[in-house]
Amino acid sequence: MTDLLERLRSAVGDDHVLTEPTDVAAYVVDWTGTHRGRALAVVRPGSTTEVAEVVRACAETRTPLVPQGGNTGLVGGGVPDGSGTAVVLSLGRMRTVRDVDPVAGTLTVDAGVVLADVQAAAAAVDRLFPMSLGSEGSCTIGGNLATNAGGTAVLRYGMTRELVLGLEVVLPDGRVWDGLRGLRKDNTGYDLTQLFVGSEGTLGVITGAVLRIFPATPRHATAWVAVPSVAAAVSLLGIAQEHAGVHLSTFEIANRQALDLVLAHLPGAVDPLEAPSEWYVLVELAGSAADGGLDATLEALLADAVEAGRAMDAAIATGPGRRSALWSLREGISEVQKVEGATLKHDVTLPIADLAAWTDAMGPVLQEVLPGVRPVTYGHVGDGNLHYNLNAPIGRDDDLRAAAGDLTAAIHEAVAAAHGSISAEHGLGRTKAAAAAAYKSDVEVDLMRALKRALDPDGLMNPSVLLTAP
Amino acid sequence: MTDLLERLRSAVGDDHVLTEPTDVAAYVVDWTGTHRGRALAVVRPGSTTEVAEVVRACAETRTPLVPQGGNTGLVGGGVPDGSGTAVVLSLGRMRTVRDVDPVAGTLTVDAGVVLADVQAAAAAVDRLFPMSLGSEGSCTIGGNLATNAGGTAVLRYGMTRELVLGLEVVLPDGRVWDGLRGLRKDNTGYDLTQLFVGSEGTLGVITGAVLRIFPATPRHATAWVAVPSVAAAVSLLGIAQEHAGVHLSTFEIANRQALDLVLAHLPGAVDPLEAPSEWYVLVELAGSAADGGLDATLEALLADAVEAGRAMDAAIATGPGRRSALWSLREGISEVQKVEGATLKHDVTLPIADLAAWTDAMGPVLQEVLPGVRPVTYGHVGDGNLHYNLNAPIGRDDDLRAAAGDLTAAIHEAVAAAHGSISAEHGLGRTKAAAAAAYKSDVEVDLMRALKRALDPDGLMNPSVLLTAP
């Protein structure tokens, strides 16, 4: 062990091998506070070469390795277990934007670049990197890639895997795979890039990426809409698609409980509508400078929706300040849930056609398991993805913790019965690895294990994340 | 061997195990006529269960298996070698459209459904399946998936891998992986679907798929444009994107040599412009019924292009008949090249910024290798993808055959030097497996071999395709 620490220090410099408990603390607890682990050391390499040296040293000493980006994950995929045997490999010092090519529509970055800085690098050449998440100010693009992150722009631009053309990866034996190609078309063998995207650090360490950038969309038309039900929200989605076509860029849902928490805990938050509603939708159209008619399109689609009984009222943003006020109501939810008290998160996809019936049926089931439990429901209706989160009955955080297993089981059972997914965009991490294996077929689990064995035969890369121990 | 044939007959019925040379002939020669193999038998299962029985029988007798769709591939990936030891597994009888869901935007199909029938199934519910290829009347969706086919709609909708949500695959041991999920978001482990897409039958047999369908685009504005150079075509692409944004659905290039062959050999083909030009572009905008201004947009962008010296003249289609006449000039090229005589195909991607310089430099190099050789160049400028094909000097087919190795080597060297790809959309097959391995890093080839071993340890699935024998 002393030998390993020496090797790590000589690889990355003494300052970047952390072993003091106070230095290590922030790296071994996840954002949700659910997973508190221990680490042999936290190593902060500054280059791909240094990452390779660290990985090789760990491989040769059979030391488990936990890659970590901004440590904003919600399923414990970026923190070590409690054994204290693993090294945490933080990519946070690798934050160079290596290349920007607006003509080819590509951006080449280090894995440790913060998502907001990726967005800014694209904006600096009048292009858009569309991925947008609540944690964009601190999550890293490497973490986004490793988890195939989603966010609010998936409806129009797709998941992270649709935004990447090539990767650089340090393999479990310390060799570097240079797949940093920026070609849209390259049919020369298995798609290794797509294999690493979403693999949650279990097959190697992503150190760089070629990302796709898109024409900028400086014009927006944004509304916060009161809708009578989830079914109405789904209908409104159809109306919005009919009117706005490709300009529809955001279609997010939230329930009243979610808005109430934001109004209670987010400084400056104001309900934009007079009468309360059970459900709300944040809808946004986006276009180029030449797309002058977005406001008119938004007004027309809302008028149609009101006439059809799919919407009751709407607040349309009249400028950038109002627009960000509406967005803050949606983006603030995750943070204020923590302020309110104990929460239990679920990140599920349902077939869109079943979304309303599923949500309507779920409420009473949960009240039976824990009377008074408060569903704080929000998410991405256009993708069928709900963050079906629960807050404790008022003042009874311990009851929620005690019932957590039963509540999650009830939700996951209902998702499986509807042929949905128990992880839409957060990944499996430590939290859901066992549950996913239970819902998948043996064939599928065998296939995943075969891939893991092929690339990481010693099982040292982020063990017990994504796949449970065999 | 007799035992195997008996097992195959009992699995799929006597009529569907072909062994007579006349019955087998069409299945053992590829479309280009370059690869002429032999087969132990051709088996035509009618269901996934039958495919699984065939694969299991072959696995247990260590018999190599060659999956085949419409046999329209251009790199010999769907035909057996000359040993006569392999079974050809034709998916052609599996042509059921299993489900259409316009609300979810999904279409579930058997692998043997012909691409044109997939398009028609989407059109029947007022939706679009955008993939479009010259061979769409006979290629199958299973083959498109296995090769990650491209075509003329990639610019707007992406390659095949971007059009699929889930797969059903018979694995090399005969087990069936049911991954037929239609969810846009499902982060529950490695993306097995993307691993099988583009694997050319070397990891398993795709038997079914959930495809994405899109809003219909019944309105089109189409023009055949004379441009002075490849550089001008690339500039015109920028102008077209600026004007038409997401409505730009096609941007194809062809040289005069290609048009001359079409005019000579395609019945009814007429040059739509008076003066000849070295290069042409087929540009098309597509939109929904509500998009009324496409013609005006097209005219405006062409006017800008002429003023900027990026286009010299253009013929705009004035109705569906004229539109398909313009399209036939582009889609006829591949077929007429065969009529003209011996051809040598290359399917390359260049970084778009290098496309013009690369093309300009390539001509003289090839004239040195074989004076009089005729480049018949066409392809998908928007993706950087050229079908850089060569016809023999007039009347000297044998000279082309003799120089083929040198010509291809010169082209592939130049592609590699420009950081392009030697297979943009056709795959590697038998033709390019060795060349790809030579241009790839050892790390990348090792990774691909590790995946192959993990899923097909006995190496029975389409041996020597995509990867050469270790």
Side-chain angles (χ1 to χ4, degrees):
Chain A
M1 190 189 109
T2 319
D3 278 2
L4 174 63
L5 290 177
E6 275 315 302
R7 255 183 96 169
L8 296 175
R9 289 194 185 101
S10 95
V12 304
D14 291 0
D15 289 354
H16 302 302
V17 178
L18 316 178
T19 52
E20 291 298 319
T22 49
D23 295 338
V24 166
Y27 297 87
V28 296
V29 181
D30 79 328
W31 187 86
T32 69
T34 315
H35 297 275
R36 294 172 183 275
R38 291 166 55 228
L40 193 63
V42 174
V43 186
R44 297 167 43 81
S47 69
T48 301
T49 308
E50 289 184 8
V51 173
E53 285 180 49
V54 170
V55 174
R56 200 175 309 114
C58 288
E60 287 171 13
T61 54
R62 302 257 166 171
T63 307
L65 199 67
V66 178
Q68 187 180 96
N71 196 13
T72 60
L74 297 172
V75 289
V79 291
D81 66 14
S83 68
T85 57
V87 164
V88 172
L89 175 63
S90 167
L91 281 299
R93 285 180 60 222
M94 288 184 61
R95 44 175 71 209
T96 302
V97 175
R98 300 189 197 175
D99 184 56
V100 188
D101 185 340
V103 175
T106 58
L107 192 58
T108 307
V109 294
D110 277 356
V113 178
V114 168
L115 175 54
D117 294 335
V118 177
Q119 296 166 346
V125 293
D126 196 26
R127 292 291 185 277
L128 173 74
F129 184 68
M131 197 195 307
S132 179
L133 309 174
S135 61
E136 61 197 25
S138 48
C139 66
T140 64
I141 190 68
N144 301 144
L145 288 158
T147 58
N148 186 29
T152 56
V154 175
L155 180 63
R156 178 158 173 185
Y157 295 96
M159 303 284 283
T160 305
R161 69 169 70 258
E162 296 170 64
L163 305 177
V164 59
L165 292 169
L167 290 180
E168 177 187 81
V169 178
V170 175
L171 302 179
D173 60 7
R175 291 186 301 167
V176 179
W177 172 56
D178 179 356
L180 288 176
R181 290 184 284 260
L183 304 173
R184 186 81 191 274
K185 297 171 90 169
D186 179 29
N187 271 356
T188 58
Y190 307 138
D191 194 329
L192 301 173
T193 290
Q194 293 299 333
L195 180 62
F196 288 108
V197 174
S199 68
E200 303 187 25
T202 64
L203 302 178
V205 183
I206 296 171
T207 50
V210 183
L211 306 170
R212 293 176 65 187
I213 52 179
F214 296 81
T217 55
R219 283 182 185 266
H220 301 97
T222 313
W224 180 263
V225 189
V227 297
S229 63
V230 177
V234 173
S235 290
L236 177 58
L237 172 64
I239 295 170
Q241 286 172 323
E242 193 82 23
H243 278 264
V246 292
H247 295 300
L248 182 66
S249 57
T250 301
F251 197 90
E252 299 280 305
I253 198 169
N255 71 353
R256 179 71 205 186
Q257 185 69 60
L259 180 61
D260 278 342
L261 292 189
V262 172
L263 297 175
H265 299 297
L266 186 73
V270 176
D271 187 342
L273 299 175
E274 282 182 21
S277 166
E278 267 308 289
W279 293 95
Y280 298 93
V281 167
L282 177 70
V283 56
E284 183 164 278
L285 319 188
S288 68
D291 291 316
L294 297 182
D295 281 323
T297 304
L298 180 61
E299 280 165 28
L301 83 85
L302 289 173
D304 268 19
V306 169
E307 192 171 337
R310 303 314 186 189
M312 292 162 326
D313 196 5
I316 299 185
T318 47
R322 288 286 292 156
R323 177 181 172 235
S324 63
L326 297 185
W327 268 96
S328 71
L329 299 178
R330 164 65 186 85
E331 294 197 320
I333 300 172
S334 186
E335 194 64 47
V336 297
Q337 273 203 279
K338 273 172 92 167
V339 179
E340 175 75 4
T343 73
L344 188 61
K345 289 178 179 291
H346 304 92
D347 165 42
V348 304
T349 308
L350 284 309
I352 292 174
D354 303 329
L355 203 60
W358 187 91
T359 313
D360 292 346
M362 207 65 239
V365 171
L366 297 180
Q367 291 305 322
E368 250 178 61
V369 179
L370 178 62
V373 68
R374 292 175 291 166
V376 177
T377 309
Y378 58 102
H380 320 293
V381 175
D383 318 312
N385 176 193
L386 289 183
H387 297 304
Y388 195 82
N389 296 351
L390 306 177
N391 267 70
I394 294 172
R396 289 162 52 206
D397 281 6
D398 286 346
D399 289 1
L400 183 77
R401 291 189 192 104
D406 291 344
L407 291 164
T408 296
I411 290 169
H412 285 181
E413 280 297 331
V415 167
H419 304 289
S421 169
I422 64 165
S423 181
E425 57 178 17
H426 294 168
L428 297 177
R430 297 181 183 283
T431 307
K432 296 184 184 174
Y439 288 114
K440 284 179 185 290
S441 67
D442 291 347
V443 174
E444 187 158 325
V445 174
D446 283 357
L447 272 173
M448 289 184 10
R449 288 200 188 285
L451 295 174
K452 170 75 172 173
R453 269 195 313 274
L455 269 67
D456 179 27
D458 297 327
L460 296 173
M461 297 300 309
N462 223 0
S464 298
V465 165
L466 192 141
L467 283 166
T468 51
Chain B
M1 189 188 108
T2 319
D3 278 4
L4 174 63
L5 289 178
E6 275 316 302
R7 257 184 96 170
L8 296 175
R9 289 194 185 100
S10 95
V12 305
D14 291 0
D15 290 354
H16 302 302
V17 178
L18 316 179
T19 53
E20 290 299 319
T22 49
D23 295 338
V24 166
Y27 297 87
V28 296
V29 181
D30 80 327
W31 188 87
T32 68
T34 315
H35 297 274
R36 293 170 184 276
R38 291 165 56 227
L40 194 64
V42 174
V43 186
R44 295 167 44 81
S47 69
T48 301
T49 309
E50 289 184 11
V51 173
E53 286 181 48
V54 171
V55 174
R56 201 175 307 114
C58 288
E60 287 170 13
T61 56
R62 301 257 166 171
T63 307
L65 198 67
V66 178
Q68 186 179 95
N71 196 13
T72 60
L74 297 173
V75 289
V79 291
D81 66 13
S83 68
T85 57
V87 164
V88 172
L89 174 64
S90 168
L91 281 299
R93 284 179 61 222
M94 290 185 59
R95 45 176 71 210
T96 302
V97 174
R98 300 188 196 176
D99 185 56
V100 188
D101 186 340
V103 175
T106 58
L107 192 59
T108 307
V109 295
D110 277 356
V113 179
V114 168
L115 175 53
D117 295 335
V118 177
Q119 296 165 346
V125 293
D126 196 27
R127 292 292 184 279
L128 173 74
F129 185 67
M131 198 195 306
S132 180
L133 310 174
S135 61
E136 63 197 23
S138 49
C139 67
T140 64
I141 189 67
N144 301 143
L145 289 159
T147 57
N148 185 31
T152 56
V154 175
L155 181 63
R156 178 158 171 185
Y157 296 97
M159 302 285 282
T160 305
R161 70 170 69 257
E162 295 169 66
L163 305 176
V164 60
L165 293 169
L167 290 180
E168 177 186 82
V169 178
V170 176
L171 302 178
D173 61 6
R175 290 186 301 169
V176 178
W177 172 55
D178 179 355
L180 287 176
R181 291 185 282 259
L183 305 173
R184 185 83 189 274
K185 296 171 89 168
D186 180 27
N187 271 356
T188 58
Y190 307 139
D191 194 329
L192 302 173
T193 290
Q194 293 299 334
L195 180 61
F196 288 108
V197 173
S199 66
E200 305 187 25
T202 64
L203 301 177
V205 183
I206 295 171
T207 51
V210 183
L211 306 171
R212 293 177 64 187
I213 53 180
F214 296 82
T217 55
R219 284 183 185 266
H220 301 97
T222 313
W224 181 263
V225 188
V227 297
S229 63
V230 177
V234 173
S235 290
L236 176 58
L237 172 65
I239 295 170
Q241 286 172 322
E242 192 81 23
H243 278 264
V246 293
H247 295 299
L248 181 66
S249 56
T250 301
F251 198 90
E252 299 280 304
I253 199 169
N255 70 353
R256 178 71 204 185
Q257 184 70 60
L259 180 61
D260 279 341
L261 292 189
V262 172
L263 296 176
H265 298 298
L266 187 73
V270 176
D271 187 343
L273 299 175
E274 281 182 24
S277 165
E278 267 308 289
W279 293 94
Y280 298 93
V281 167
L282 177 70
V283 55
E284 185 164 279
L285 319 187
S288 70
D291 291 316
L294 297 182
D295 281 322
T297 304
L298 180 61
E299 280 164 29
L301 84 85
L302 290 173
D304 268 18
V306 169
E307 192 171 337
R310 304 313 187 192
M312 292 161 328
D313 195 6
I316 299 184
T318 47
R322 288 286 292 156
R323 176 180 173 236
S324 64
L326 297 185
W327 268 96
S328 71
L329 300 178
R330 164 64 186 84
E331 294 198 320
I333 301 171
S334 186
E335 194 65 47
V336 298
Q337 274 203 277
K338 274 172 89 167
V339 179
E340 175 74 4
T343 71
L344 188 62
K345 289 178 180 290
H346 304 93
D347 166 42
V348 303
T349 308
L350 284 309
I352 293 174
D354 302 329
L355 202 60
W358 187 91
T359 312
D360 292 347
M362 207 64 239
V365 171
L366 298 180
Q367 292 305 323
E368 251 178 59
V369 179
L370 178 62
V373 68
R374 291 176 291 167
V376 177
T377 309
Y378 58 103
H380 318 293
V381 175
D383 318 311
N385 177 195
L386 289 182
H387 297 305
Y388 196 81
N389 296 351
L390 305 176
N391 266 71
I394 293 172
R396 289 161 52 204
D397 280 7
D398 287 346
D399 289 1
L400 183 77
R401 291 189 192 105
D406 291 344
L407 291 164
T408 295
I411 291 170
H412 285 182
E413 281 296 332
V415 167
H419 303 290
S421 169
I422 64 166
S423 181
E425 58 177 17
H426 294 166
L428 297 178
R430 296 181 183 285
T431 306
K432 296 184 186 174
Y439 288 113
K440 284 180 185 289
S441 67
D442 290 348
V443 173
E444 187 158 327
V445 174
D446 283 357
L447 272 172
M448 289 182 15
R449 288 200 189 286
L451 295 174
K452 171 75 172 174
R453 270 196 312 275
L455 269 67
D456 179 26
D458 296 326
L460 296 173
M461 297 300 308
N462 223 1
S464 298
V465 164
L466 192 141
L467 283 166
T468 52

